[in-house]
Amino acid sequence: MPDRHEFSLMVHGGAGALEKLDNDKEAVRHLESIRCVLEHGRMILRAGGSALEAVEQCASLLEDDPIFNAGAGSVLNEDGKVEMDAAIMCGASLAAGAVAGISDIANPIQLARVVLAESEHLLLIGAGARRFADRWHFERMPESYFRTRERVAQWEQLRSSGGAGLDHDVSVWPGRSSDDKHGTIGVVARDGQGNLAAATSTGGIVNKQYGRVGDSPIIGAGVYADNATCAVSCTGVGEDFMRTVLAKTLADLIEFKELDGAAAAVLGIEYLQRKVAGRGGFILIDRQGGCAAGCSTRRMIHGWIEKGGETHCKF
Ligand code: ASP
């Protein structure tokens, strides 16, 4: 008999230097948001909801919170516009849906879920994704929904220095403002049936080139789920995660080396750093419901509920 209390859930809000969290008020605000999302997910999973349902709903809440770099709080590209990427994956079937270069949808993760459920394809981009969204009656949000005063100021600062970079980071990108405080979001879950699911959603990196796609919508790079191994969501410099196919590498460490999630997480971070001096982190739930995380940056905002236990939040 599956045990409804044996669910696990993890959430992240991005990795980087995150100097803003040295300020108590900001730290509390971020941790409160993560905690609220975890409690919402707990309700879904405790009531018997699926891992896929839980990751979609939790990711949607994080997209709606403008303190994170996804949905409403997405960073701006070199043209001062949003281009969002998102993906969702079901560990029971290996079905996945992903979208990239989305500019006017409040919840790209919901569009990715419809791609998973209704399209014969896996990844839709730009105008094609827009056409698909119209078919499924997704509301078009005005540019003003995304262009907050803070986002425009952040973009202008980076644009004047000619850099592009990780939203949370202040150390590696020239001219980067220490006011940056947003982050890509991700959710992984294991439900009472033992099914795993993962979701990642992002506005990408600040002042990125028009048309740039990061790791978040790439299955195996920024997101992965397979009931036989684990569910993973990554955050950080997308190019580093694509070059190391990090989410799938973590799953492979579990599958072929027969490691648990915690041991795979240690090797995964070592691999990311050794191969490409990669910057970022990930959250992972293994098939037994064990929660693990790793990051090569100073911080990663994240939280978890392991096997129906207490809620933990950390950065
Ligand atoms: N990985 C995301 C990207 O490169 C950025 C992030 O995680 O903050 O698009």
Side-chain angles (χ1 to χ4, degrees), residues 166 184 202 204-205 212 214-216 235-236 238:
L166 251 198
T184 287
T202 188
I205 56 175
R212 180 263 188 191
D215 60 316
S216 307
T235 175

Side-chain angles (χ1 to χ4, degrees), residues 51-52 55 88-96 187-189 195-199 219-220 222-233 247-248 251 285:
L52 198 61
V55 299
I88 187 164
M89 184 159 184
C90 169
S93 59
L94 300 194
V187 188
V188 292
N195 290 315
L196 295 170
I219 302 304
V223 66
Y224 198 71
D226 178 353
N227 279 3
T229 55
C230 62
V232 182
S233 172
K248 179 64 161 70
I285 295 178

Side-chain angles (χ1 to χ4, degrees), residues 17-255:
L18 279 161
E19 286 177 359
K20 194 77 184 182
L21 296 191
D22 293 337
N23 171 329
D24 286 352
K25 232 171 89 187
E26 281 299 328
V28 168
R29 169 82 183 82
H30 280 78
L31 293 180
E32 258 173 16
S33 182
I34 295 285
R35 183 173 289 276
C36 268
V37 171
L38 284 166
E39 292 310 333
H40 186 81
R42 183 195 289 277
M43 247 167 44
I44 297 169
L45 291 164
R46 197 190 259 162
S50 71
L52 198 61
E53 195 57 42
V55 299
E56 182 193 351
Q57 287 208 26
C58 290
S60 295
L61 287 178
L62 291 161
E63 287 177 335
D64 292 342
D65 188 336
I67 67 169
F68 297 110
N69 171 21
S74 290
V75 300
L76 304 179
N77 70 7
E78 64 180 356
D79 297 337
K81 308 230 188 277
V82 296
E83 283 186 285
M84 299 170 283
D85 305 331
I88 187 164
M89 184 159 184
C90 169
S93 59
L94 300 194
V99 291
I102 300 295
S103 58
D104 60 1
I105 287 172
N107 295 107
I109 201 67
Q110 293 175 14
L111 184 58
R113 173 85 191 266
V114 180
V115 173
L116 180 157
E118 306 294 345
S119 171
E120 61 184 304
H121 306 301
L122 190 153
L123 169 61
L124 296 177
I125 62 163
R130 179 67 255 173
R131 188 186 294 174
F132 181 82
D134 283 340
R135 205 175 298 150
W136 290 93
H137 309 294
F138 275 78
E139 188 184 347
R140 282 176 190 255
M141 304 307 285
E143 234 177 88
S144 57
Y145 177 75
F146 305 98
R147 278 180 72 91
T148 61
R149 216 176 53 187
E150 198 174 28
R151 276 310 184 198
V152 172
Q154 179 196 41
W155 167 67
E156 279 171 348
Q157 185 151 11
L158 211 55
R159 192 168 153 239
S160 60
S161 70
L166 251 198
D167 192 25
H168 274 324
D169 220 340
V170 293
S171 57
V172 289
W173 305 98
R176 187 139 180 95
S177 158
S178 59
D179 276 336
D180 301 335
K181 65 178 177 66
H182 303 245
T184 287
I185 65 98
V187 188
V188 292
R190 178 188 187 273
D191 61 31
Q193 314 291 316
N195 290 315
L196 295 170
T200 307
S201 181
T202 188
I205 56 175
V206 190
N207 203 34
K208 64 186 178 181
Q209 192 175 319
Y210 169 64
R212 180 263 188 191
V213 175
D215 60 316
S216 307
I218 307 299
I219 302 304
V223 66
Y224 198 71
D226 178 353
N227 279 3
T229 55
C230 62
V232 182
S233 172
C234 302
T235 175
V237 179
E239 287 73 8
D240 296 342
F241 286 80
M242 288 191 277
R243 288 191 292 152
T244 52
V245 203
L246 200 80
K248 179 64 161 70
T249 297
L250 287 160
D252 286 349
L253 285 168
I254 293 174
E255 177 131 18

